[in-house]
mmCIF file of all heavy atoms in Angstrom:
data_model
loop_
_atom_site.group_PDB
_atom_site.id
_atom_site.type_symbol
_atom_site.label_atom_id
_atom_site.label_comp_id
_atom_site.label_asym_id
_atom_site.label_seq_id
_atom_site.Cartn_x
_atom_site.Cartn_y
_atom_site.Cartn_z
ATOM 1 N N GLN A 11 -19.955 -14.824 -22.187
ATOM 2 C CA GLN A 11 -20.191 -13.370 -21.968
ATOM 3 C C GLN A 11 -20.198 -13.064 -20.467
ATOM 4 O O GLN A 11 -19.613 -12.053 -20.046
ATOM 5 C CB GLN A 11 -21.501 -12.955 -22.630
ATOM 6 C CG GLN A 11 -21.759 -11.448 -22.522
ATOM 7 C CD GLN A 11 -20.722 -10.619 -23.241
ATOM 8 O OE1 GLN A 11 -20.167 -11.054 -24.275
ATOM 9 N NE2 GLN A 11 -20.416 -9.473 -22.705
ATOM 10 N N GLU A 12 -20.852 -13.890 -19.679
ATOM 11 C CA GLU A 12 -20.866 -13.696 -18.233
ATOM 12 C C GLU A 12 -19.435 -13.797 -17.660
ATOM 13 O O GLU A 12 -19.061 -13.026 -16.806
ATOM 14 C CB GLU A 12 -21.780 -14.708 -17.585
ATOM 15 C CG GLU A 12 -23.240 -14.470 -17.814
ATOM 16 C CD GLU A 12 -24.135 -15.525 -17.191
ATOM 17 O OE1 GLU A 12 -23.679 -16.215 -16.240
ATOM 18 O OE2 GLU A 12 -25.292 -15.673 -17.623
ATOM 19 N N LEU A 13 -18.684 -14.767 -18.164
ATOM 20 C CA LEU A 13 -17.298 -14.911 -17.677
ATOM 21 C C LEU A 13 -16.451 -13.693 -18.052
ATOM 22 O O LEU A 13 -15.635 -13.222 -17.248
ATOM 23 C CB LEU A 13 -16.659 -16.173 -18.275
ATOM 24 C CG LEU A 13 -17.147 -17.493 -17.687
ATOM 25 C CD1 LEU A 13 -16.560 -18.653 -18.478
ATOM 26 C CD2 LEU A 13 -16.754 -17.596 -16.244
ATOM 27 N N ARG A 14 -16.652 -13.167 -19.254
ATOM 28 C CA ARG A 14 -15.916 -11.954 -19.641
ATOM 29 C C ARG A 14 -16.252 -10.793 -18.706
ATOM 30 O O ARG A 14 -15.378 -10.073 -18.271
ATOM 31 C CB ARG A 14 -16.245 -11.581 -21.084
ATOM 32 C CG ARG A 14 -15.525 -12.407 -22.095
ATOM 33 C CD ARG A 14 -15.736 -11.848 -23.509
ATOM 34 N NE ARG A 14 -15.613 -12.950 -24.475
ATOM 35 C CZ ARG A 14 -16.597 -13.557 -25.047
ATOM 36 N NH1 ARG A 14 -17.832 -13.201 -24.842
ATOM 37 N NH2 ARG A 14 -16.365 -14.543 -25.907
ATOM 38 N N ALA A 15 -17.559 -10.655 -18.442
ATOM 39 C CA ALA A 15 -17.978 -9.586 -17.540
ATOM 40 C C ALA A 15 -17.384 -9.766 -16.138
ATOM 41 O O ALA A 15 -16.899 -8.799 -15.515
ATOM 42 C CB ALA A 15 -19.513 -9.521 -17.480
ATOM 43 N N SER A 16 -17.411 -10.989 -15.639
ATOM 44 C CA SER A 16 -16.851 -11.280 -14.316
ATOM 45 C C SER A 16 -15.332 -11.018 -14.315
ATOM 46 O O SER A 16 -14.801 -10.478 -13.349
ATOM 47 C CB SER A 16 -17.098 -12.741 -13.910
ATOM 48 O OG SER A 16 -18.473 -12.953 -13.746
ATOM 49 N N LEU A 17 -14.673 -11.405 -15.377
ATOM 50 C CA LEU A 17 -13.248 -11.188 -15.465
ATOM 51 C C LEU A 17 -12.905 -9.690 -15.447
ATOM 52 O O LEU A 17 -11.971 -9.272 -14.788
ATOM 53 C CB LEU A 17 -12.678 -11.848 -16.731
ATOM 54 C CG LEU A 17 -11.187 -11.737 -16.950
ATOM 55 C CD1 LEU A 17 -10.417 -12.401 -15.814
ATOM 56 C CD2 LEU A 17 -10.796 -12.346 -18.280
ATOM 57 N N LEU A 18 -13.677 -8.922 -16.211
ATOM 58 C CA LEU A 18 -13.464 -7.482 -16.215
ATOM 59 C C LEU A 18 -13.687 -6.903 -14.817
ATOM 60 O O LEU A 18 -12.934 -6.041 -14.360
ATOM 61 C CB LEU A 18 -14.398 -6.792 -17.215
ATOM 62 C CG LEU A 18 -14.016 -6.962 -18.682
ATOM 63 C CD1 LEU A 18 -15.080 -6.377 -19.591
ATOM 64 C CD2 LEU A 18 -12.680 -6.333 -18.957
ATOM 65 N N GLU A 19 -14.718 -7.344 -14.140
ATOM 66 C CA GLU A 19 -15.005 -6.871 -12.788
ATOM 67 C C GLU A 19 -13.874 -7.266 -11.828
ATOM 68 O O GLU A 19 -13.413 -6.450 -11.031
ATOM 69 C CB GLU A 19 -16.336 -7.474 -12.299
ATOM 70 C CG GLU A 19 -16.809 -6.871 -10.979
ATOM 71 C CD GLU A 19 -18.145 -7.443 -10.581
ATOM 72 O OE1 GLU A 19 -18.942 -7.791 -11.466
ATOM 73 O OE2 GLU A 19 -18.365 -7.517 -9.365
ATOM 74 N N MET A 20 -13.396 -8.469 -11.941
ATOM 75 C CA MET A 20 -12.321 -8.911 -11.085
ATOM 76 C C MET A 20 -11.012 -8.150 -11.404
ATOM 77 O O MET A 20 -10.245 -7.865 -10.490
ATOM 78 C CB MET A 20 -12.073 -10.403 -11.283
ATOM 79 C CG MET A 20 -13.176 -11.263 -10.719
ATOM 80 S SD MET A 20 -13.070 -13.023 -11.157
ATOM 81 C CE MET A 20 -11.559 -13.463 -10.342
ATOM 82 N N GLN A 21 -10.817 -7.734 -12.685
ATOM 83 C CA GLN A 21 -9.641 -6.929 -13.058
ATOM 84 C C GLN A 21 -9.677 -5.597 -12.394
ATOM 85 O O GLN A 21 -8.668 -5.106 -11.919
ATOM 86 C CB GLN A 21 -9.555 -6.806 -14.589
ATOM 87 C CG GLN A 21 -8.309 -6.109 -15.084
ATOM 88 C CD GLN A 21 -7.049 -6.874 -14.721
ATOM 89 O OE1 GLN A 21 -6.972 -8.065 -14.855
ATOM 90 N NE2 GLN A 21 -6.009 -6.163 -14.290
ATOM 91 N N ALA A 22 -11.020 -4.954 -12.476
ATOM 92 C CA ALA A 22 -11.186 -3.627 -11.836
ATOM 93 C C ALA A 22 -10.778 -3.663 -10.414
ATOM 94 O O ALA A 22 -10.076 -2.841 -9.881
ATOM 95 C CB ALA A 22 -12.619 -3.161 -12.000
ATOM 96 N N HIS A 23 -11.255 -4.910 -9.587
ATOM 97 C CA HIS A 23 -10.957 -5.085 -8.163
ATOM 98 C C HIS A 23 -9.460 -5.294 -7.966
ATOM 99 O O HIS A 23 -8.868 -4.753 -7.031
ATOM 100 C CB HIS A 23 -11.738 -6.241 -7.585
ATOM 101 C CG HIS A 23 -13.204 -5.996 -7.448
ATOM 102 N ND1 HIS A 23 -13.705 -5.033 -6.608
ATOM 103 C CD2 HIS A 23 -14.286 -6.549 -8.084
ATOM 104 C CE1 HIS A 23 -15.022 -5.035 -6.692
ATOM 105 N NE2 HIS A 23 -15.406 -5.930 -7.596
ATOM 106 N N ALA A 24 -8.851 -6.099 -8.875
ATOM 107 C CA ALA A 24 -7.388 -6.363 -8.754
ATOM 108 C C ALA A 24 -6.599 -5.062 -8.932
ATOM 109 O O ALA A 24 -5.641 -4.805 -8.184
ATOM 110 C CB ALA A 24 -6.970 -7.373 -9.815
ATOM 111 N N ASP A 25 -6.996 -4.242 -9.880
ATOM 112 C CA ASP A 25 -6.289 -2.973 -10.100
ATOM 113 C C ASP A 25 -6.437 -2.070 -8.890
ATOM 114 O O ASP A 25 -5.450 -1.446 -8.422
ATOM 115 C CB ASP A 25 -6.839 -2.247 -11.341
ATOM 116 C CG ASP A 25 -6.471 -2.967 -12.634
ATOM 117 O OD1 ASP A 25 -5.550 -3.821 -12.624
ATOM 118 O OD2 ASP A 25 -7.111 -2.661 -13.658
ATOM 119 N N LYS A 26 -7.640 -2.025 -8.312
ATOM 120 C CA LYS A 26 -7.861 -1.183 -7.141
ATOM 121 C C LYS A 26 -7.059 -1.686 -5.962
ATOM 122 O O LYS A 26 -6.416 -0.895 -5.240
ATOM 123 C CB LYS A 26 -9.373 -1.203 -6.811
ATOM 124 C CG LYS A 26 -9.746 -0.262 -5.699
ATOM 125 C CD LYS A 26 -11.266 -0.273 -5.510
ATOM 126 C CE LYS A 26 -11.686 0.685 -4.402
ATOM 127 N NZ LYS A 26 -13.159 0.678 -4.226
ATOM 128 N N GLN A 27 -7.070 -3.006 -5.744
ATOM 129 C CA GLN A 27 -6.293 -3.576 -4.638
ATOM 130 C C GLN A 27 -4.805 -3.377 -4.831
ATOM 131 O O GLN A 27 -4.064 -3.116 -3.896
ATOM 132 C CB GLN A 27 -6.613 -5.073 -4.480
ATOM 133 C CG GLN A 27 -7.995 -5.292 -3.899
ATOM 134 C CD GLN A 27 -8.366 -6.775 -3.819
ATOM 135 O OE1 GLN A 27 -7.660 -7.608 -4.364
ATOM 136 N NE2 GLN A 27 -9.452 -7.061 -3.137
ATOM 137 N N SER A 28 -4.331 -3.446 -6.068
ATOM 138 C CA SER A 28 -2.932 -3.236 -6.365
ATOM 139 C C SER A 28 -2.558 -1.789 -5.994
ATOM 140 O O SER A 28 -1.492 -1.543 -5.431
ATOM 141 C CB SER A 28 -2.670 -3.495 -7.862
ATOM 142 O OG SER A 28 -1.321 -3.213 -8.161
ATOM 143 N N HIS A 29 -3.414 -0.856 -6.335
ATOM 144 C CA HIS A 29 -3.165 0.553 -5.988
ATOM 145 C C HIS A 29 -3.150 0.722 -4.474
ATOM 146 O O HIS A 29 -2.278 1.423 -3.928
ATOM 147 C CB HIS A 29 -4.226 1.435 -6.629
ATOM 148 C CG HIS A 29 -4.038 2.898 -6.297
ATOM 149 N ND1 HIS A 29 -3.027 3.642 -6.841
ATOM 150 C CD2 HIS A 29 -4.712 3.707 -5.466
ATOM 151 C CE1 HIS A 29 -3.080 4.858 -6.361
ATOM 152 N NE2 HIS A 29 -4.101 4.955 -5.519
ATOM 153 N N ILE A 30 -4.081 0.048 -3.766
ATOM 154 C CA ILE A 30 -4.142 0.162 -2.302
ATOM 155 C C ILE A 30 -2.860 -0.427 -1.694
ATOM 156 O O ILE A 30 -2.266 0.192 -0.775
ATOM 157 C CB ILE A 30 -5.396 -0.577 -1.747
ATOM 158 C CG1 ILE A 30 -6.643 0.224 -2.133
ATOM 159 C CG2 ILE A 30 -5.308 -0.749 -0.256
ATOM 160 C CD1 ILE A 30 -7.955 -0.509 -1.857
ATOM 161 N N VAL A 31 -2.411 -1.587 -2.202
ATOM 162 C CA VAL A 31 -1.179 -2.214 -1.694
ATOM 163 C C VAL A 31 0.012 -1.263 -1.934
ATOM 164 O O VAL A 31 0.880 -1.070 -1.059
ATOM 165 C CB VAL A 31 -0.946 -3.570 -2.331
ATOM 166 C CG1 VAL A 31 0.450 -4.091 -2.067
ATOM 167 C CG2 VAL A 31 -1.992 -4.581 -1.826
ATOM 168 N N TRP A 32 0.070 -0.641 -3.082
ATOM 169 C CA TRP A 32 1.148 0.280 -3.401
ATOM 170 C C TRP A 32 1.129 1.462 -2.429
ATOM 171 O O TRP A 32 2.199 1.875 -1.886
ATOM 172 C CB TRP A 32 0.998 0.769 -4.859
ATOM 173 C CG TRP A 32 2.002 1.775 -5.255
ATOM 174 C CD1 TRP A 32 3.288 1.567 -5.641
ATOM 175 C CD2 TRP A 32 1.772 3.211 -5.317
ATOM 176 N NE1 TRP A 32 3.892 2.769 -5.926
ATOM 177 C CE2 TRP A 32 2.981 3.786 -5.738
ATOM 178 C CE3 TRP A 32 0.661 4.012 -5.046
ATOM 179 C CZ2 TRP A 32 3.119 5.153 -5.899
ATOM 180 C CZ3 TRP A 32 0.826 5.380 -5.213
ATOM 181 C CH2 TRP A 32 2.041 5.944 -5.646
ATOM 182 N N ALA A 33 -0.066 1.992 -2.184
ATOM 183 C CA ALA A 33 -0.172 3.130 -1.256
ATOM 184 C C ALA A 33 0.208 2.694 0.181
ATOM 185 O O ALA A 33 0.923 3.428 0.876
ATOM 186 C CB ALA A 33 -1.606 3.665 -1.253
ATOM 187 N N LEU A 34 -0.205 1.493 0.585
ATOM 188 C CA LEU A 34 0.150 1.003 1.943
ATOM 189 C C LEU A 34 1.660 0.790 2.063
ATOM 190 O O LEU A 34 2.259 1.081 3.134
ATOM 191 C CB LEU A 34 -0.591 -0.298 2.244
ATOM 192 C CG LEU A 34 -2.102 -0.117 2.539
ATOM 193 C CD1 LEU A 34 -2.733 -1.509 2.684
ATOM 194 C CD2 LEU A 34 -2.309 0.701 3.796
ATOM 195 N N ARG A 35 2.309 0.302 1.028
ATOM 196 C CA ARG A 35 3.766 0.136 1.079
ATOM 197 C C ARG A 35 4.446 1.488 1.268
ATOM 198 O O ARG A 35 5.424 1.608 1.999
ATOM 199 C CB ARG A 35 4.279 -0.512 -0.202
ATOM 200 C CG ARG A 35 4.026 -2.008 -0.248
ATOM 201 C CD ARG A 35 4.655 -2.631 -1.442
ATOM 202 N NE ARG A 35 4.400 -4.060 -1.474
ATOM 203 C CZ ARG A 35 4.557 -4.820 -2.507
ATOM 204 N NH1 ARG A 35 4.976 -4.308 -3.643
ATOM 205 N NH2 ARG A 35 4.308 -6.117 -2.424
ATOM 206 N N GLY A 36 3.914 2.483 0.577
ATOM 207 C CA GLY A 36 4.463 3.841 0.773
ATOM 208 C C GLY A 36 4.313 4.308 2.200
ATOM 209 O O GLY A 36 5.243 4.872 2.801
ATOM 210 N N HIS A 37 3.123 4.071 2.781
ATOM 211 C CA HIS A 37 2.870 4.480 4.191
ATOM 212 C C HIS A 37 3.818 3.737 5.126
ATOM 213 O O HIS A 37 4.392 4.308 6.048
ATOM 214 C CB HIS A 37 1.429 4.214 4.602
ATOM 215 C CG HIS A 37 0.442 5.159 3.972
ATOM 216 N ND1 HIS A 37 0.462 6.516 4.171
ATOM 217 C CD2 HIS A 37 -0.608 4.918 3.141
ATOM 218 C CE1 HIS A 37 -0.535 7.082 3.496
ATOM 219 N NE2 HIS A 37 -1.197 6.138 2.858
ATOM 220 N N VAL A 38 3.951 2.416 4.908
ATOM 221 C CA VAL A 38 4.821 1.593 5.765
ATOM 222 C C VAL A 38 6.277 2.117 5.661
ATOM 223 O O VAL A 38 6.980 2.210 6.681
ATOM 224 C CB VAL A 38 4.707 0.112 5.395
ATOM 225 C CG1 VAL A 38 5.818 -0.712 6.046
ATOM 226 C CG2 VAL A 38 3.348 -0.445 5.773
ATOM 227 N N GLN A 39 6.724 2.438 4.453
ATOM 228 C CA GLN A 39 8.074 2.927 4.281
ATOM 229 C C GLN A 39 8.289 4.256 5.035
ATOM 230 O O GLN A 39 9.280 4.450 5.726
ATOM 231 C CB GLN A 39 8.409 3.089 2.798
ATOM 232 C CG GLN A 39 9.856 3.426 2.535
ATOM 233 C CD GLN A 39 10.121 3.478 1.037
ATOM 234 O OE1 GLN A 39 9.227 3.376 0.223
ATOM 235 N NE2 GLN A 39 11.377 3.685 0.685
ATOM 236 N N ARG A 40 7.309 5.153 4.932
ATOM 237 C CA ARG A 40 7.406 6.438 5.659
ATOM 238 C C ARG A 40 7.380 6.202 7.157
ATOM 239 O O ARG A 40 8.144 6.857 7.905
ATOM 240 C CB ARG A 40 6.270 7.360 5.227
ATOM 241 C CG ARG A 40 6.525 8.096 3.925
ATOM 242 C CD ARG A 40 5.544 9.214 3.663
ATOM 243 N NE ARG A 40 4.139 8.770 3.572
ATOM 244 C CZ ARG A 40 3.607 8.246 2.462
ATOM 245 N NH1 ARG A 40 4.348 8.075 1.379
ATOM 246 N NH2 ARG A 40 2.358 7.888 2.425
ATOM 247 N N GLN A 41 6.538 5.279 7.611
ATOM 248 C CA GLN A 41 6.477 4.987 9.052
ATOM 249 C C GLN A 41 7.808 4.410 9.537
ATOM 250 O O GLN A 41 8.277 4.734 10.636
ATOM 251 C CB GLN A 41 5.312 4.067 9.379
ATOM 252 C CG GLN A 41 3.968 4.746 9.284
ATOM 253 C CD GLN A 41 2.808 3.770 9.569
ATOM 254 O OE1 GLN A 41 3.003 2.575 9.644
ATOM 255 N NE2 GLN A 41 1.600 4.331 9.743
ATOM 256 N N ARG A 42 8.453 3.558 8.764
ATOM 257 C CA ARG A 42 9.748 3.028 9.125
ATOM 258 C C ARG A 42 10.791 4.157 9.233
ATOM 259 O O ARG A 42 11.599 4.180 10.159
ATOM 260 C CB ARG A 42 10.220 1.987 8.122
ATOM 261 C CG ARG A 42 9.596 0.670 8.283
ATOM 262 C CD ARG A 42 10.165 -0.383 7.368
ATOM 263 N NE ARG A 42 9.442 -1.631 7.464
ATOM 264 C CZ ARG A 42 9.371 -2.549 6.545
ATOM 265 N NH1 ARG A 42 9.973 -2.340 5.382
ATOM 266 N NH2 ARG A 42 8.703 -3.646 6.755
ATOM 267 N N GLN A 43 10.735 5.038 8.265
ATOM 268 C CA GLN A 43 11.664 6.169 8.295
ATOM 269 C C GLN A 43 11.426 7.025 9.530
ATOM 270 O O GLN A 43 12.395 7.472 10.199
ATOM 271 C CB GLN A 43 11.569 7.021 7.018
ATOM 272 C CG GLN A 43 12.068 6.318 5.773
ATOM 273 C CD GLN A 43 11.741 7.072 4.499
ATOM 274 O OE1 GLN A 43 10.978 8.014 4.496
ATOM 275 N NE2 GLN A 43 12.332 6.625 3.409
ATOM 276 N N GLU A 44 10.119 7.243 9.823
ATOM 277 C CA GLU A 44 9.794 8.058 11.012
ATOM 278 C C GLU A 44 10.253 7.331 12.294
ATOM 279 O O GLU A 44 10.752 7.977 13.223
ATOM 280 C CB GLU A 44 8.297 8.342 11.073
ATOM 281 C CG GLU A 44 7.833 9.370 10.057
ATOM 282 C CD GLU A 44 6.336 9.588 10.088
ATOM 283 O OE1 GLU A 44 5.671 9.176 11.086
ATOM 284 O OE2 GLU A 44 5.789 10.159 9.130
ATOM 285 N N MET A 45 10.083 6.002 12.328
ATOM 286 C CA MET A 45 10.500 5.224 13.505
ATOM 287 C C MET A 45 12.021 5.320 13.676
ATOM 288 O O MET A 45 12.531 5.474 14.793
ATOM 289 C CB MET A 45 10.084 3.765 13.392
ATOM 290 C CG MET A 45 8.599 3.566 13.702
ATOM 291 S SD MET A 45 8.083 1.843 13.532
ATOM 292 C CE MET A 45 9.089 1.023 14.709
ATOM 293 N N VAL A 46 12.762 5.219 12.596
ATOM 294 C CA VAL A 46 14.213 5.319 12.630
ATOM 295 C C VAL A 46 14.593 6.706 13.157
ATOM 296 O O VAL A 46 15.448 6.862 14.061
ATOM 297 C CB VAL A 46 14.872 5.035 11.265
ATOM 298 C CG1 VAL A 46 16.344 5.424 11.261
ATOM 299 C CG2 VAL A 46 14.718 3.570 10.886
ATOM 300 N N ALA A 47 13.937 7.744 12.636
ATOM 301 C CA ALA A 47 14.233 9.113 13.078
ATOM 302 C C ALA A 47 13.841 9.280 14.572
ATOM 303 O O ALA A 47 14.615 9.891 15.318
ATOM 304 C CB ALA A 47 13.465 10.112 12.224
ATOM 305 N N GLN A 48 12.689 8.713 14.967
ATOM 306 C CA GLN A 48 12.281 8.801 16.374
ATOM 307 C C GLN A 48 13.251 8.050 17.280
ATOM 308 O O GLN A 48 13.573 8.503 18.374
ATOM 309 C CB GLN A 48 10.847 8.290 16.567
ATOM 310 C CG GLN A 48 9.807 9.248 16.027
ATOM 311 C CD GLN A 48 8.411 8.644 16.152
ATOM 312 O OE1 GLN A 48 8.239 7.523 16.602
ATOM 313 N NE2 GLN A 48 7.417 9.417 15.751
ATOM 314 N N GLN A 49 13.734 6.866 16.815
ATOM 315 C CA GLN A 49 14.704 6.123 17.627
ATOM 316 C C GLN A 49 15.997 6.903 17.759
ATOM 317 O O GLN A 49 16.643 6.901 18.822
ATOM 318 C CB GLN A 49 14.958 4.733 17.007
ATOM 319 C CG GLN A 49 13.798 3.755 17.241
ATOM 320 C CD GLN A 49 14.034 2.424 16.580
ATOM 321 O OE1 GLN A 49 14.940 2.260 15.778
ATOM 322 N NE2 GLN A 49 13.194 1.463 16.919
ATOM 323 N N GLN A 50 16.384 7.589 16.713
ATOM 324 C CA GLN A 50 17.599 8.389 16.800
ATOM 325 C C GLN A 50 17.412 9.551 17.791
ATOM 326 O O GLN A 50 18.266 9.831 18.645
ATOM 327 C CB GLN A 50 17.986 8.951 15.430
ATOM 328 C CG GLN A 50 18.573 7.915 14.508
ATOM 329 C CD GLN A 50 18.838 8.455 13.110
ATOM 330 O OE1 GLN A 50 18.465 9.579 12.774
ATOM 331 N NE2 GLN A 50 19.489 7.671 12.295
ATOM 332 N N ARG A 51 16.253 10.208 17.743
ATOM 333 C CA ARG A 51 15.953 11.300 18.669
ATOM 334 C C ARG A 51 15.847 10.745 20.119
ATOM 335 O O ARG A 51 16.370 11.371 21.059
ATOM 336 C CB ARG A 51 14.642 11.984 18.319
ATOM 337 C CG ARG A 51 14.865 13.028 17.220
ATOM 338 C CD ARG A 51 13.635 13.851 16.959
ATOM 339 N NE ARG A 51 13.090 13.387 15.652
ATOM 340 C CZ ARG A 51 11.832 13.295 15.357
ATOM 341 N NH1 ARG A 51 10.928 13.651 16.215
ATOM 342 N NH2 ARG A 51 11.469 12.875 14.182
ATOM 343 N N LEU A 52 15.227 9.579 20.220
ATOM 344 C CA LEU A 52 15.135 8.967 21.562
ATOM 345 C C LEU A 52 16.512 8.624 22.103
ATOM 346 O O LEU A 52 16.799 8.867 23.293
ATOM 347 C CB LEU A 52 14.256 7.706 21.484
ATOM 348 C CG LEU A 52 14.004 6.967 22.797
ATOM 349 C CD1 LEU A 52 13.286 7.881 23.790
ATOM 350 C CD2 LEU A 52 13.196 5.696 22.554
ATOM 351 N N GLY A 53 17.366 8.117 21.232
ATOM 352 C CA GLY A 53 18.726 7.832 21.639
ATOM 353 C C GLY A 53 19.459 9.098 22.076
ATOM 354 O O GLY A 53 20.185 9.091 23.087
ATOM 355 N N GLN A 54 19.230 10.187 21.349
ATOM 356 C CA GLN A 54 19.855 11.453 21.704
ATOM 357 C C GLN A 54 19.312 11.957 23.052
ATOM 358 O O GLN A 54 20.091 12.435 23.914
ATOM 359 C CB GLN A 54 19.633 12.499 20.614
ATOM 360 C CG GLN A 54 20.367 12.220 19.343
ATOM 361 C CD GLN A 54 19.944 13.169 18.203
ATOM 362 O OE1 GLN A 54 19.008 13.957 18.345
ATOM 363 N NE2 GLN A 54 20.633 13.084 17.066
ATOM 364 N N ILE A 55 18.022 11.810 23.223
ATOM 365 C CA ILE A 55 17.388 12.277 24.487
ATOM 366 C C ILE A 55 17.890 11.437 25.646
ATOM 367 O O ILE A 55 18.265 11.963 26.701
ATOM 368 C CB ILE A 55 15.849 12.201 24.390
ATOM 369 C CG1 ILE A 55 15.338 13.236 23.413
ATOM 370 C CG2 ILE A 55 15.227 12.390 25.776
ATOM 371 C CD1 ILE A 55 13.874 13.160 23.116
#
């Protein structure tokens, strides 16, 4: 029973971390796009 409870708790943490990683990947992708756009503007300047 204790192992089941620990497993459920670890699942809740894994799900939360998975969501955080997904959100961070989205941020990194937007930042890359912004960097590419900024490099293009810098090149134009």
Side-chain angles (χ1 to χ4, degrees):
Q11 183 63 32
E12 288 177 21
L13 286 174
R14 282 188 206 102
S16 294
L17 182 60
L18 285 174
E19 188 177 330
M20 290 171 65
Q21 184 63 42
H23 289 295
D25 291 343
K26 186 176 181 180
Q27 288 176 350
S28 177
H29 180 72
I30 290 170
V31 167
W32 176 80
L34 287 173
R35 283 185 180 164
H37 288 298
V38 167
Q39 187 176 5
R40 279 192 299 279
Q41 287 178 349
R42 281 186 185 154
Q43 291 171 349
E44 287 178 15
M45 282 178 61
V46 168
Q48 286 176 358
Q49 285 177 349
Q50 287 175 351
R51 278 187 252 144
L52 182 61
Q54 291 171 353
I55 292 172

